[in-house]
């Protein structure tokens, strides 16, 4: 496990585009993702490892290489084990964005928690571009092979 990253520049850039209640950052590796940053580490872990087989939405984002938007209490309950903590932050929507480097490799994802209706298609496109522009936040401390997005 590497040292925690400071992804505050990434968050500032994303927050300029959408109202965010919380965010987490994960770097893909070894059958899952390493948690590398969180706006609320006491609630949403900023370290540790999350396996793809335990996180179907995370897997869909990685496998599809496209954002996944989940909106509404019922959808959050069905898709996220920590749905109550999400709602307690005043969020009822999550946008999971894959993050790609300039070569198109999926390095990880950023999970943005906001309000229902707060992530229209044009905003998602700008958030995706901004997240990709901050791909350096997702680079591992040591070189490793990273698969391309689907």
């Amino acid at each position: 496990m590497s040292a925690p990253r400071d992804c505050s520049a990434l968050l500032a850039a994303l927050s300029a585009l959408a109202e965010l209640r919380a965010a987490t950052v994960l770097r893909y590796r070894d059958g899952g993702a390493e948690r590398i940053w969180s706006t609320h580490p006491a609630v949403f872990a900023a370290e540790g490892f999350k396996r793809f087989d335990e996180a179907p939405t995370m897997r869909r984002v990685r496998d599809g290489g496209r954002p996944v938007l989940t909106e509404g209490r019922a959808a959050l309950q069905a898709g996220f084990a920590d749905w109550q903590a999400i709602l307690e932050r005043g969020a009822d929507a999550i946008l999971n964005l894959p993050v790609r480097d300039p070569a198109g490799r999926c390095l990880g994802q950023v999970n943005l928690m906001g309000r229902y209706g707060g992530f229209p298609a044009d905003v998602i496109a700008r958030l995706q571009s901004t997240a990709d522009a901050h791909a350096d936040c997702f680079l591992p401390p040591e070189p490793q092979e990273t698969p391309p997005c689907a």
Side-chain angles (χ1 to χ4, degrees), residues 101-128:
D101 68 6
R105 295 175 299 174
C106 277
L107 302 176
Q109 72 182 61
V110 60
N111 304 326
L112 305 174
M113 293 165 239
R115 299 294 297 158
Y116 192 103
F119 298 113
D122 63 318
V123 171
I124 292 173
R126 289 193 307 267
L127 289 165
Q128 181 67 69

Side-chain angles (χ1 to χ4, degrees), residues 6-20 22-23 25 37 39 110 112 126-127 130-131 134 137:
D6 178 6
C7 296
S8 54
L10 168 62
L11 179 66
L14 296 171
S15 294
L17 300 172
E19 180 187 344
L20 304 179
V25 177
W37 195 79
T39 57
V110 60
L112 305 174
R126 289 193 307 267
L127 289 165
T130 300
H134 287 82
C137 186

Side-chain angles (χ1 to χ4, degrees), residues 14-125:
L14 296 171
S15 294
L17 300 172
E19 180 187 344
L20 304 179
R21 303 296 174 108
T24 59
V25 177
L26 300 105
R27 177 178 33 243
Y28 297 150
R29 69 173 183 83
D30 304 328
E34 177 184 5
R35 300 171 191 267
I36 60 172
W37 195 79
S38 173
T39 57
H40 297 76
V43 180
F44 306 109
E47 55 187 34
F49 191 77
K50 190 175 191 180
R51 299 200 55 78
F52 287 122
D53 58 2
E54 301 166 341
T57 301
M58 185 175 77
R59 179 187 295 273
R60 272 185 33 218
V61 172
R62 194 266 329 253
D63 290 351
R66 295 191 338 229
V68 172
L69 176 61
T70 305
E71 293 184 299
R73 181 186 185 99
L76 291 173
Q77 281 180 287
F80 298 90
D82 56 353
W83 64 272
Q84 288 178 307
I86 295 164
L87 291 173
E88 288 170 3
R89 300 274 81 69
D92 56 0
I94 296 181
L95 177 63
N96 301 79
L97 293 171
V99 178
R100 301 173 204 85
D101 68 6
R105 295 175 299 174
C106 277
L107 302 176
Q109 72 182 61
V110 60
N111 304 326
L112 305 174
M113 293 165 239
R115 299 294 297 158
Y116 192 103
F119 298 113
D122 63 318
V123 171
I124 292 173

